[in-house]
Amino acid sequence: MQVAQIIVDVPTRQTNNPYSYLIPESLEKQIQSGMRVQVPFGRRRVTGFVIGLSDKTSFDGKLKKISSLVDLSPVITPELLKLSEWMADKTFSFKISCLQTMLPGGMRTKFKKKLLATDQIRDTYPAIFHGQNEIDYDRQKFNNKTIAEILALRKSNQIKVHYELSSHAKPILSRAYKSKLNQQQIDHVLIDVQKRAVGQRRLLKMLYEQPSQTFLQSKLLHEGVGKQVLDTAVKQGWVTETQVRRIRNPFLQPVSKSYPLDLNEDQQTAVNRINNAIGKQTDTTFLLEGVTGSGKTEVYLQAMAHALSIGKTALMLVPEITLTPQIVGRIRSRFGDQVAMLHSAMSSGERYDEWQRINSGQAKVVVGVRSAIFAPLENIGLIIMDEEHDSSYKQSDTPRYQTRDVAKWRAAYNHCPVVLGSATPSLESRARAMKGVYQLIMLPHRFNNHALPHVSIVDMKDEMAHNRHILSKRLSNLITDRLEKHEQIILLLNRRGYSSFIMCRDCGYVPQCPNCDISLTMHKDTHTLNCHLCGHKEPIPTVCPKCHSKRIRHYGIGSQQLEEQVKDLFPTARVLRMDVDTTRKKGSHEAIINKFGAHKADILLGTQMIAKGLDFPEVTLVGVLNADSALQFPDFRSSERTFQLLTQVSGRSGRADKQGEVVIQTFNPDHYAIQLAKTQDYEKFYHTEMRIRHLGKYPPYYFTIKITGSSPSEKQTAYEMHQIAGFLRRYLTNKAIVLGPTPKTITRVNNRYFYQIIIKYRQEPKLKAALDDVLVKSQTKQQGGLLISIDNEPLDFM
DNA sequence: AGCACGCCGACT
DNA sequence: GTCGGCGTGCTC
Ligand SMILES: [Zn+2]
Ligand SMILES: [Zn+2]
């Protein structure tokens, strides 16, 4: 008898190991590693991943049998199976979480427990069944007495329990028809068909012309063959009805084929070096550092083409906000239908279909956001990460992986190079390139030698003294000028620091969340005050709850408010707004870009998403309204973030014929990140910032770990975290720096108190063991409900 | 995560 | 005495 090793979908420390199950004979031939199955686990039924098959087990208890298969073919490749083990270890997360994140969202399955009642039971217990024979069993929905009742009914077999597998991802099936007749038979049949049966004759003619074709019903309808005709055809035995899977098409528009562009010398060198590594099958990591407009994308495209030409596949990752229809169109125009796209803005059905195209080997090129690094591609020849410094490449919740590390792992497995591209590389990557761990490739010239824009900095401290608008005097004047010249303008509002709250003008009262240490934010659409941390909602007060003043009103600068102000100041200007609210609908993002690109608007304003990847030749003025909002929260990466953003935005303006202008509004005009962004001097920024990182013992000089602990009692949290910090200080070498515990900036969230410990280290062979120990202890002892999470190489220390 | 077992205080 | 509250431990 064969045994399967299974990781069950129960994300806890204690169940983080494979469980052995017997394979029933009926499944023996079909089951494979990487498939999902249903298994009995304790008293319930759960989903699990088959990670191995063998003929024995080390478990000496009584084995249970697998109930059934969830998938008909493996959904996790052998490579990804191995990767999940490594990742769970590296990110201190559960294997099941890693496996689940490798699948497109819609494929994640959960079991829903259902209760089935006879009519009699249903009517005897209306409080439980509400007149229905089948209900969801949510433990939280019932009180203990009801649960006891249900349990008793179950024991006496009066109600049945069954589990329903739920998943959003389903293929779309369309009705289709296939001929059962050969050509001679059709000839024969035609004799008996009346002349006036036009539909039937039409159908038979089509069947005659393409005997082996499967015709979609929609297509037949279009050709004038109606449903009734088809019903007769089925009855007559001319055709059979079948179903055809329809692949959803996430691409809005068809594209025309494009061909490789001529490269300049730098680009050619870059392509040669990368192609060489692809050909030699070495897992070199390249850092492709190229200023905005230096033609990185063309380098990517030609290297990908080379990988395809030797029979390999290619994977290209792009940050969330840069994965625009423009960039996808460019890739599709080069590689056609071989391209699959994985984007969070796609529906779960579209993502499922695209994923299937990859898994079945149809798609050879994958373009996508962070999670696309788990695309089930085989025989990868090249992995590209564009804008490698982008913070969206680090997943903020478990498993907290850094895409760059996963990319390097897959590159090593597939013996292929990784290309990290950026105009402003992360300090980590650049430092590694300096040490020779990565190979540095530079693209120092802007294509066609477009001039750099002129950047000016406006000190908003001075400005505030005589101007209470968001727009500075200088920026307003320039806007007026550009409007007169019929040139276009982009205004960027940094998303961070965005706030929308209400405050009493008399006593200064700001409504706070009752569960968290944070102000409530105003939501105009629902007319409520919401807490974005715990979801608490309450009505907007009309009088101040503290002093009963009626002068309680709304404050905040969001893109909506900015739009109002701009329209106020420039009533004749045509203004477009692009933010999360205006791009929620499918295709709306594209619509805004097309409209602005066609110069049907003068001013485009919005959040981060307008900062990247968009090319509008008519834009000659870019205003950054709150350039330094990242600097408000002092953290070791804030300068880097600010510099990267400003450099990127500045690159947007400035063309061959018209010099661009950038206005940066800030409260910190002398800050080096802002000053160096003005001159677009990455080299100097790199060296300045490295010195600061060195002095502060920050990455890339030190590795870092953030341990966060929370419990309903602040005292308890502080105490337990002190214990952990003490343990780490004793256990680790004296070269490791253990900081804290300190309360988090927002200490209370959802009535839990959060504390953190930071570890900085260079070499700590015992660290992994120590942290695993902390995790194990935290779950076995329960430590008064202390929940621990570990973030390996966190983005920030906040 | 569930789900059951078991021990102790409150109440018929 | 017994009901039910929650802490503890297990799930192939
Ligand atoms: Zn008040
Ligand atoms: Zn809250």
Side-chain angles (χ1 to χ4, degrees):
Chain A
M1 193 68 144
Q2 273 220 309
V3 174
Q5 264 63 253
I6 287 166
I7 300 287
V8 290
D9 187 7
V10 182
T12 61
R13 231 355 84 188
Q14 299 116 61
T15 50
N16 196 28
N17 295 310
Y19 284 78
S20 303
Y21 282 88
L22 294 174
I23 301 166
E25 253 173 70
S26 56
L27 301 178
E28 234 165 29
K29 293 220 172 65
Q30 307 158 51
I31 197 161
Q32 289 177 55
S33 274
M35 282 181 176
R36 291 172 298 170
V37 291
Q38 300 181 27
V39 289
F41 194 64
R43 225 160 255 272
R44 6 174 228 151
R45 192 181 294 180
V46 297
T47 319
F49 286 78
V50 180
I51 62 156
L53 301 169
S54 57
D55 40 21
K56 52 180 186 295
T57 172
S58 53
F59 181 68
D60 51 8
K62 195 171 176 325
L63 296 182
K64 289 187 182 173
K65 264 198 228 167
I66 292 173
S67 317
S68 66
L69 300 181
V70 173
D71 302 301
L72 295 172
S73 56
V75 293
I76 301 283
T77 63
E79 178 196 355
L80 293 178
L81 223 44
K82 270 194 182 160
L83 174 59
S84 72
E85 295 272 328
W86 171 84
M87 201 166 108
D89 199 56
K90 169 110 183 164
T91 63
F92 300 93
S93 54
F94 307 125
K95 288 166 190 159
I96 190 66
S97 318
C98 296
L99 289 165
Q100 295 281 30
T101 44
M102 290 177 170
L103 297 178
M107 266 175 84
R108 269 160 232 178
T109 54
K110 271 274 171 228
F111 275 106
K112 269 219 151 132
K113 192 171 176 178
K114 304 262 185 179
L115 301 181
L116 291 176
T118 58
D119 292 355
Q120 191 211 329
I121 295 287
R122 176 196 67 199
D123 298 332
T124 324
Y125 299 90
I128 302 175
F129 288 95
H130 303 287
Q132 287 176 312
N133 288 75
E134 185 180 307
I135 56 154
D136 285 355
Y137 180 70
D138 288 333
R139 252 176 163 247
Q140 275 118 344
K141 235 169 51 187
F142 304 111
N143 60 35
N144 285 322
K145 207 175 154 197
T146 323
I147 288 177
E149 237 169 12
I150 293 170
L151 236 61
L153 285 168
R154 225 184 110 183
K155 274 212 176 108
S156 56
N157 251 333
Q158 297 192 73
I159 55 176
K160 287 217 168 70
V161 174
H162 88 129
Y163 292 87
E164 195 178 277
L165 193 63
S166 71
S167 158
H168 321 274
K170 292 198 180 83
I172 300 179
L173 298 173
S174 311
R175 192 174 298 168
Y177 296 88
K178 204 168 157 38
S179 180
K180 281 171 86 178
L181 309 173
N182 60 34
Q183 292 185 329
Q184 284 125 349
Q185 286 170 316
I186 293 175
D187 277 335
H188 195 76
V189 164
L190 266 169
I191 301 168
D192 291 335
V193 175
Q194 295 184 13
K195 273 258 159 58
R196 59 190 190 87
V198 189
Q200 296 188 14
R201 289 189 161 264
R202 213 175 270 153
L203 172 66
L204 287 165
K205 185 168 170 257
M206 289 172 77
L207 298 179
Y208 188 88
E209 281 164 0
Q210 290 165 285
S212 55
Q213 178 81 30
T214 304
F215 295 95
L216 283 172
Q217 189 190 1
S218 54
K219 172 132 190 286
L220 292 169
L221 245 124
H222 195 76
E223 300 281 333
V225 180
K227 181 73 176 103
Q228 289 184 350
V229 174
L230 289 166
D231 285 346
T232 334
V234 172
K235 245 183 256 157
Q236 297 284 338
W238 302 344
V239 293
T240 46
E241 198 182 301
T242 58
Q243 291 195 315
V244 168
R245 176 147 182 225
R246 201 184 90 218
I247 304 291
R248 301 170 183 88
N249 184 4
F251 307 111
L252 286 169
Q253 277 159 14
V255 289
S256 49
K257 178 119 184 85
S258 76
Y259 296 92
L261 307 174
D262 287 339
L263 301 177
N264 65 28
E265 212 174 301
D266 301 322
Q267 286 175 308
Q268 191 61 61
T269 315
V271 170
N272 291 348
R273 286 177 70 183
I274 297 164
N275 287 359
N276 188 32
I278 297 172
K280 279 195 184 150
Q281 313 212 352
T282 56
D283 60 342
T284 316
T285 303
F286 293 100
L287 176 61
L288 181 62
E289 185 181 320
V291 297
T292 317
S294 59
K296 287 193 291 288
T297 311
E298 189 59 31
V299 173
Y300 300 153
L301 289 173
Q302 298 201 14
M304 281 156 79
H306 185 250
L308 292 180
S309 75
I310 59 167
K312 293 183 175 273
T313 60
L315 176 53
M316 176 168 169
L317 304 177
V318 176
E320 204 94 21
I321 37 181
T322 322
L323 189 47
T324 57
Q326 284 171 323
I327 185 83
V328 179
R330 212 169 148 194
I331 295 161
R332 282 180 64 223
S333 74
R334 203 63 68 79
F335 303 115
D337 291 341
Q338 300 178 82
V339 181
M341 172 170 79
L342 293 170
H343 192 339
S344 48
M346 286 157 60
S347 72
S348 60
E350 285 171 338
R351 258 183 295 175
Y352 172 66
D353 282 359
E354 288 294 272
W355 185 90
Q356 289 285 0
R357 287 180 58 223
I358 304 165
N359 202 32
S360 66
Q362 278 179 63
K364 305 275 184 211
V365 176
V366 175
V367 199
V369 296
R370 178 181 62 226
S371 58
I373 192 61
F374 302 115
L377 275 178
E378 285 186 344
N379 197 15
I380 301 176
L382 176 65
I383 302 175
I384 293 165
M385 279 178 74
D386 190 31
E387 311 281 349
E388 67 90 28
H389 62 276
D390 195 276
S391 54
S392 73
Y393 282 128
K394 175 82 198 276
Q395 174 143 31
S396 54
D397 34 52
T398 50
R400 300 186 173 81
Y401 64 92
Q402 166 60 58
T403 311
R404 224 181 284 142
D405 298 333
V406 181
K408 284 190 277 179
W409 189 96
R410 292 199 76 177
Y413 186 95
N414 286 278
H415 310 291
C416 76
V418 177
V419 175
L420 306 175
S422 176
T424 51
S426 62
L427 291 218
E428 282 89 341
S429 294
R430 179 56 194 267
R432 279 186 193 167
M434 300 307 273
K435 276 174 68 184
V437 182
Y438 298 166
Q439 299 218 9
L440 185 61
I441 307 178
M442 297 272 225
L443 296 178
H445 304 297
R446 289 189 114 192
F447 213 75
N448 296 337
N449 287 319
H450 285 166
L452 276 175
H454 177 262
V455 181
S456 56
I457 294 169
V458 175
D459 185 351
M460 289 306 278
K461 278 179 302 208
D462 295 349
E463 196 73 22
M464 288 297 267
H466 48 81
N467 177 5
R468 306 207 42 220
H469 267 289
I470 310 177
L471 301 178
S472 63
K473 196 102 201 136
R474 177 172 173 78
L475 188 53
S476 315
N477 289 343
L478 284 169
I479 293 175
T480 312
D481 174 68
R482 296 304 133 104
L483 288 174
E484 274 165 15
K485 288 186 193 157
H486 293 285
E487 292 173 3
Q488 288 181 298
I489 300 144
I490 286 180
L491 296 178
L492 176 86
L493 191 68
N494 212 340
R495 180 106 182 93
R496 282 183 95 173
Y498 165 89
S499 63
S500 183
F501 56 94
I502 67 166
M503 183 167 91
C504 171
R505 296 201 79 174
D506 290 321
C507 73
Y509 172 80
V510 176
Q512 300 284 120
C513 176
N515 310 320
C516 314
D517 295 334
I518 195 169
S519 312
L520 293 170
T521 53
M522 179 82 166
H523 282 244
K524 276 189 178 157
D525 43 348
T526 52
H527 253 266
T528 48
L529 293 176
N530 297 10
C531 169
H532 70 269
L533 293 176
C534 73
H536 171 85
K537 278 183 192 155
E538 57 183 67
I540 300 169
T542 48
V543 290
C544 172
K546 218 171 167 188
C547 75
H548 306 291
S549 156
K550 282 189 177 163
R551 308 207 312 148
I552 182 157
R553 48 166 278 199
H554 175 225
Y555 283 82
I557 15 156
S559 29
Q560 235 173 59
Q561 284 82 2
L562 174 64
E563 185 183 12
E564 281 158 27
Q565 279 207 24
V566 169
K567 280 181 171 163
D568 237 31
L569 280 169
F570 310 100
T572 58
R574 297 163 299 169
V575 182
L576 275 178
R577 175 161 63 97
M578 185 152 97
D579 57 20
V580 276
D581 296 325
T582 60
T583 53
R584 205 164 285 143
K585 245 179 62 197
K586 187 177 167 176
S588 53
H589 184 261
E590 204 177 12
I592 295 175
I593 289 172
N594 289 343
K595 200 169 169 192
F596 192 65
H599 209 146
K600 283 180 184 149
D602 306 301
I603 301 177
L604 174 64
L605 63 85
T607 47
Q608 287 258 356
M609 59 174 74
I610 61 173
K612 299 186 179 181
L614 306 178
D615 269 337
F616 300 113
E618 299 295 314
V619 172
T620 57
L621 174 63
V622 173
V624 186
L625 302 181
N626 49 348
D628 47 10
S629 58
L631 296 174
Q632 284 167 26
F633 314 93
D635 196 64
F636 73 97
R637 259 189 260 263
S638 340
S639 301
E640 190 182 350
R641 289 277 114 83
T642 305
F643 178 81
Q644 282 161 349
L645 176 74
L646 295 180
T647 308
Q648 209 142 33
V649 178
S650 305
R652 295 272 78 82
S653 172
R655 288 290 159 270
D657 46 343
K658 301 170 194 161
Q659 199 194 10
E661 178 117 24
V662 177
V663 177
I664 295 174
Q665 299 189 167
T666 172
F667 289 96
N668 304 283
D670 300 323
H671 195 282
Y672 65 97
I674 289 174
Q675 284 296 329
L676 293 172
K678 179 179 172 175
T679 47
Q680 305 258 307
D681 193 343
Y682 177 81
E683 287 304 308
K684 193 159 180 200
F685 175 78
Y686 170 73
H687 288 110
T688 313
E689 183 68 12
M690 281 297 269
R691 215 163 43 234
I692 289 167
R693 300 282 179 96
H694 185 68
L695 287 172
K697 297 186 160 63
Y698 287 119
Y701 290 97
Y702 277 76
F703 297 115
T704 57
I705 297 242
K706 178 161 77 179
I707 306 173
T708 307
S710 72
S711 84
S713 143
E714 179 158 20
K715 226 176 112 191
Q716 185 79 13
T717 307
Y719 175 77
E720 297 292 351
M721 289 296 277
H722 266 292
Q723 299 294 317
I724 292 170
F727 164 75
L728 291 170
R729 287 196 179 94
R730 269 177 275 121
Y731 198 86
L732 301 177
T733 69
N734 54 11
K735 281 192 178 152
I737 304 164
V738 180
L739 302 172
T742 48
K744 300 208 76 157
T745 325
I746 302 171
T747 309
R748 187 178 55 121
V749 174
N750 218 351
N751 289 321
R752 296 185 71 89
Y753 292 83
F754 287 78
Y755 275 59
Q756 71 179 22
I757 296 167
I758 300 282
I759 307 169
K760 298 179 183 177
Y761 67 100
R762 300 187 88 149
Q763 260 186 345
E764 285 300 325
K766 282 159 84 185
L767 180 65
K768 174 78 181 129
L771 291 173
D772 283 336
D773 198 48
V774 167
L775 283 173
V776 169
K777 270 193 219 146
S778 83
Q779 206 155 54
T780 47
K781 268 205 312 179
Q782 276 303 118
Q783 296 191 330
L786 190 79
L787 275 178
I788 299 265
S789 79
I790 296 182
D791 191 350
N792 197 352
E793 296 303 321
L795 282 187
D796 55 55
F797 287 174
M798 300 197 300

